[in-house]
Amino acid sequence: MKLVVGEGSCGIAAGAAKVYDALEQAIGEKDIHLGITGCIGMCFLEPIVDVYDDNGELGARLVKVNPAQAGRIVDAVSSGDLSSIQKLMIKDEDKTFLDKQTRIVLRHCGKIDPTSIDDYLDDDGFQALGAVLDHMQPEEVIDEIKTSGLSGRGGAGFPTWFKWNAARHAPGDEKYLICNADEGDPGAFMDRAVLESDPFSLIEGMIIGAYAIGCKDAFVYVRAEYPLAIKRLENALKIAEERNYLGDHILGSDFSCHIHIKAGAGAFVCGEETALIASLEGERGMPRLKPPFPAESGYNGKPSNINNVETFANVAWIIHNGGKEFAKLGTEGSKGTKVFALSGKIRRGGLVEVTMGKTLREVIFDIGGGIRDGKEFKAVQLGGPSGGCIPASRLDTIIDYKALQATGAIMGSGGMVVMDESTCMVNTAKFFLEFTSKESCGKCVPCRLGTKRLLEILTRICAGEGKEGDVELLEELCNAVKDGALCGLGQTAPNPVLTTIHYFRDEYDAHIRDKSCPAKQCADLVTYRIDPEKCTGCTACSLRCPVKAIHGVAKSPFEIEQSLCIKCGSCYNNCHFGAITRE
Amino acid sequence: MAQANTVDLSLIEEILDEYASVPGSLITILQKTQEVYGYLPMDAIYRISERTGNSPAKIMGVATFYAQFRLQPIGKYLIYLCKGTACHVNNSDLIGATIEQELGITNGETTEDGLFTLEHVACLGCCSLAPVMMINGEAYGSLTPQKTIQILQDYRKKEASA
Ligand SMILES: Cc1cc2nc3c(=O)[nH]c(=O)nc-3n(C[C@H](O)[C@H](O)[C@H](O)COP(=O)(O)O)c2cc1C
Ligand code: FES
């Protein structure tokens, strides 16, 4: 028997490492193996412990485990009778979360131990690389990727084979391959999951790419906020090199390739490829005009090819199973699968990988279980600061590069943040502009000043100081920034504003004309009061007020000191007597 | 805060020996220097300048471009409060207000006892556990004001008994 604890960053944040320690102690000398795996993807059920039988089959999946239950689990497992831990087992309705997915990128995630190359090898690992080095020419590799229809998962969706081909045919002997693991969208964690849960598959995809392009050195640019991902990748690189899947004369062939890790230093714009290259060179991460494209002039002025983590994670599967198999999945223009990081007000948040062509509704409702706490769905945000908000009326949009773009949003890299009726859409636009104006590198005027001005107008509207004509002004400015900005950051920064205006114009009008926030989120437009008739003086609100703005004496009515109140709604949500009003 | 820049520069000599002459390693040098001191002391910047041949102005240009670099010392416990989209939607502002109230510091500040520094970050990658904070690399998810206060007080207690 074997117990496996899901130890991705989110599992650990939920307490998985403590569960592991408790299990280790409870097992003691007993004949039970204990191991770890990466992110299973069901973040809403973490910490998760999988029970495998002696044939390596998954016997039971235990969820929301806490360290105090370790003894019981170990007793049940060693007796072979799991009935005493029946209550910890995953519910049937939650199982649909995985059943409705198609896992290619995440094929090993949550199954193998990410620190063990043998686990990876047992699950078809490095078979594709073996085949490539044994009997495929670089052109054949590129052809196979072309047949698959794989396109870039970093956001823009550019055909991968085309970029590889351009880099292969660019003049010069010194070329570079770069993996973009900057994952800057604040609400996305697909790439982190792959790095933490299946680093060998990234390595395999990268070496195949390096072989196709003809380069000896490759980089992974990882964001600094991902310490565990960096650690697991470093470990995997070391082992892969020891076992000759990486380094000189890989698998005894003539091909040599080294992969280096570079940690980013916290700048969203460095996800943009020319800025990323500047950052790799140790400079300020400022983007530059294209052309020349990196395929002609990239790292150190040499031909370079940049792909996203998820793009690379598809490669070994495609080579192993054939480009045709991959192309069978998806729609005419979007092949294969896409991974989304589902979060926000969703009931079942986590990592979702579905074939292209599924609808947003299927992902959010069938897999994600819809909205938490019985509230209404309002919008889903795709593509982060470069993307947009899609309303309920467009939930049947399919996951396809073109179809999503037609809504005004984008496929993006995979962030999917679900919002309910308590999320203000003007405030959401403001939130993204706060982000982009701060992250603007300052090189070009439309982005540097344009995002600031947009933010000022949005801030004014949220504060109840909006004027007639503000919406039109926003639209005009948005178009100017879109047209004038130098790089993708500025060109897409207006998207959250434009989509919220397009689909939620009434909310803008309510803020501007009626000075009211329909979602009751904008602090300046909401007032909380305690109705002295209904207040029993139970102290529940005052204890929960984070800024200690609620005063009174137990058993008599309390009062809110308005000058201190931050309008967080804690009191409102915790009053058992309906004594708190919100206007 | 006045800068007391009397730091032991010998601590970064090894880093400089390894990277000073490797082209393109300025960011790596700054990261490793910050690991040593917790921030980038001015003296260290001058020393890096001497060894790498980059002007102090250029080094400052890089150091101030990236959010990761700090020019001021930090507290013993560095709190990253996530301000990403998922956390924002799940009311991370409330957690921010709770921390500010409990510790009496705002974004970028350090408590007077030198114990805690608060820093806002964009996303910690644990979005499905939003709202999230990370203290010295350890992530805490599904925060409520009560839970946040408890966690901070536990750190305080640990310090008091240490
Ligand atoms: C502001 C900005 C941020 C970006 N951030 C990322 C990112 O975090 N990860 C990523 O893979 N691509 C990001 N991109 C896209 C990259 O520039 C590039 O298109 C991508 O890495 C190419 O890989 P792909 O073809 O595999 O998608 C960003 C682009 C812009 C304009
Ligand atoms: S948005 Fe907070 S962890 Fe991602």
Side-chain angles (χ1 to χ4, degrees), chain B residues 2-16:
Chain B
Q3 288 217 0
N5 270 331
T6 41
V7 295
D8 179 2
L9 289 176
S10 67
L11 298 175
I12 56 169
E13 284 309 307
E14 208 176 309
I15 301 168
L16 289 166

Side-chain angles (χ1 to χ4, degrees), chain A residues 10 13 43 186 189 192 223 262-266 279 281 283-285 343-345 372 427 431-432 544 546-547 566 568, chain B residues 24 27 31 58 61 65-68 83-86 88-91 94 97-98 101 122-123 125 127-129 138-139 146:
Chain A
C10 27
C43 307
F189 51 93
R192 172 184 66 72
R223 64 192 299 244
K262 281 268 187 172
S279 182
E281 292 166 350
E283 306 287 330
R284 290 164 70 97
S343 67
K345 300 288 181 140
R372 277 206 304 258
N427 191 292
F431 166 80
F432 281 114
R544 286 190 170 80
V547 293
I566 56 163
C568 68
Chain B
I27 294 175
Q31 283 170 332
K58 163 152 190 207
F65 183 85
Y66 294 99
Q68 189 189 16
K83 288 278 176 172
T85 319
H88 174 76
V89 168
N90 283 303
N91 215 350
L94 174 57
T98 307
Q101 170 83 20
C123 173
C127 319
S128 35
L129 297 171
E138 185 160 350
Q146 283 79 8

Side-chain angles (χ1 to χ4, degrees), chain A residues 388-425:
Chain A
C389 293
I390 301 178
S393 61
R394 297 293 186 98
L395 270 177
D396 291 312
T397 307
I398 57 167
I399 290 163
D400 172 280
Y401 287 98
K402 281 216 175 90
L404 287 170
Q405 205 151 19
T407 66
I410 55 169
M411 172 84 79
S413 60
M416 192 184 266
V417 183
V418 175
M419 302 173 177
D420 69 10
E421 60 202 29
S422 66
T423 314
C424 169
M425 300 317 284

Side-chain angles (χ1 to χ4, degrees), chain A residues 200-323:
Chain A
F200 292 107
S201 124
L202 173 67
I203 295 173
E204 187 173 3
M206 284 182 70
I207 307 168
I208 294 172
Y211 174 79
I213 291 160
C215 59
K216 298 187 208 60
D217 281 287
F219 295 95
V220 185
Y221 186 90
V222 196
R223 64 192 299 244
E225 289 89 338
Y226 287 177
L228 183 64
I230 295 177
K231 195 173 117 195
R232 294 239 168 107
L233 183 61
E234 273 171 352
N235 172 62
L237 288 173
K238 192 169 138 260
I239 300 176
E241 186 142 6
E242 280 164 14
R243 303 276 287 258
N244 194 222
Y245 293 101
L246 180 70
D248 294 326
H249 299 286
I250 296 175
L251 298 176
S253 71
D254 293 338
F255 180 65
S256 302
C257 178
H258 294 265
I259 299 181
H260 317 271
I261 299 181
K262 281 268 187 172
F268 172 63
V269 72
C270 288
E272 198 279 340
E273 50 193 18
T274 59
L276 188 151
I277 290 170
S279 182
L280 269 184
E281 292 166 350
E283 306 287 330
R284 290 164 70 97
M286 309 270 244
R288 60 159 176 79
L289 268 180
K290 294 185 276 190
F293 288 94
E296 303 150 68
S297 172
Y299 180 66
N300 286 341
K302 306 290 182 206
S304 306
N305 174 70
I306 301 191
N307 283 120
N308 167 261
V309 174
E310 190 181 332
T311 312
F312 282 123
N314 276 298
V315 168
W317 191 96
I318 291 172
I319 299 293
H320 189 63
N321 297 278

Side-chain angles (χ1 to χ4, degrees), chain A residues 83-383:
Chain A
S83 58
S84 62
I85 49 171
Q86 194 76 33
K87 275 216 175 103
L88 291 177
M89 291 186 196
I90 182 170
K91 292 196 194 73
D92 283 340
E93 56 164 35
D94 287 338
K95 281 189 187 153
T96 58
F97 184 85
L98 284 185
D99 296 346
K100 294 194 172 169
Q101 302 190 29
T102 305
R103 292 198 152 189
I104 292 180
V105 172
L106 305 178
R107 60 196 181 279
H108 303 122
C109 293
K111 279 169 74 186
I112 66 168
D113 177 346
T115 62
S116 154
I117 196 167
D118 293 313
D119 265 24
Y120 183 69
L121 289 168
D122 285 345
D123 209 6
D124 292 340
F126 288 117
Q127 301 244 344
L129 179 67
V132 164
L133 294 181
D134 184 56
H135 58 255
M136 284 175 88
Q137 292 302 314
E139 286 80 6
E140 290 175 84
V141 174
I142 295 178
D143 269 346
E144 201 63 45
I145 298 295
K146 185 176 181 182
T147 307
S148 76
L150 176 66
S151 50
R153 302 296 195 238
F158 207 75
T160 304
W161 78 270
F162 191 93
K163 289 180 26 172
W164 287 18
N165 201 42
R168 166 148 201 91
H169 289 107
D173 291 334
E174 195 184 330
K175 296 179 184 177
Y176 294 96
L177 182 83
I178 300 164
C179 172
N180 188 341
D182 199 37
E183 194 149 70
D185 171 0
F189 51 93
M190 309 74 53
D191 297 347
R192 172 184 66 72
V194 172
L195 290 164
E196 286 177 2
S197 314
D198 195 14
F200 292 107
S201 124
L202 173 67
I203 295 173
E204 187 173 3
M206 284 182 70
I207 307 168
I208 294 172
Y211 174 79
I213 291 160
C215 59
K216 298 187 208 60
D217 281 287
F219 295 95
V220 185
Y221 186 90
V222 196
R223 64 192 299 244
E225 289 89 338
Y226 287 177
L228 183 64
I230 295 177
K231 195 173 117 195
R232 294 239 168 107
L233 183 61
E234 273 171 352
N235 172 62
L237 288 173
K238 192 169 138 260
I239 300 176
E241 186 142 6
E242 280 164 14
R243 303 276 287 258
N244 194 222
Y245 293 101
L246 180 70
D248 294 326
H249 299 286
I250 296 175
L251 298 176
S253 71
D254 293 338
F255 180 65
S256 302
C257 178
H258 294 265
I259 299 181
H260 317 271
I261 299 181
K262 281 268 187 172
F268 172 63
V269 72
C270 288
E272 198 279 340
E273 50 193 18
T274 59
L276 188 151
I277 290 170
S279 182
L280 269 184
E281 292 166 350
E283 306 287 330
R284 290 164 70 97
M286 309 270 244
R288 60 159 176 79
L289 268 180
K290 294 185 276 190
F293 288 94
E296 303 150 68
S297 172
Y299 180 66
N300 286 341
K302 306 290 182 206
S304 306
N305 174 70
I306 301 191
N307 283 120
N308 167 261
V309 174
E310 190 181 332
T311 312
F312 282 123
N314 276 298
V315 168
W317 191 96
I318 291 172
I319 299 293
H320 189 63
N321 297 278
K324 278 209 185 95
E325 273 311 298
F326 191 84
K328 281 185 193 160
L329 305 169
T331 65
E332 186 61 39
S334 306
K335 299 296 183 197
T337 61
K338 179 76 195 90
V339 184
F340 291 98
L342 190 56
S343 67
K345 300 288 181 140
I346 192 87
R347 269 182 55 204
R348 301 200 280 254
L351 277 182
V352 177
E353 180 173 0
V354 290
T355 49
M356 302 273 193
K358 285 225 187 276
T359 65
L360 291 173
R361 187 187 302 281
E362 284 172 285
V363 173
I364 296 166
F365 287 87
D366 296 353
I367 296 176
I371 305 294
R372 277 206 304 258
D373 307 328
K375 293 219 170 96
E376 282 284 310
F377 172 89
K378 184 188 249 177
V380 54
Q381 212 284 340
L382 289 186

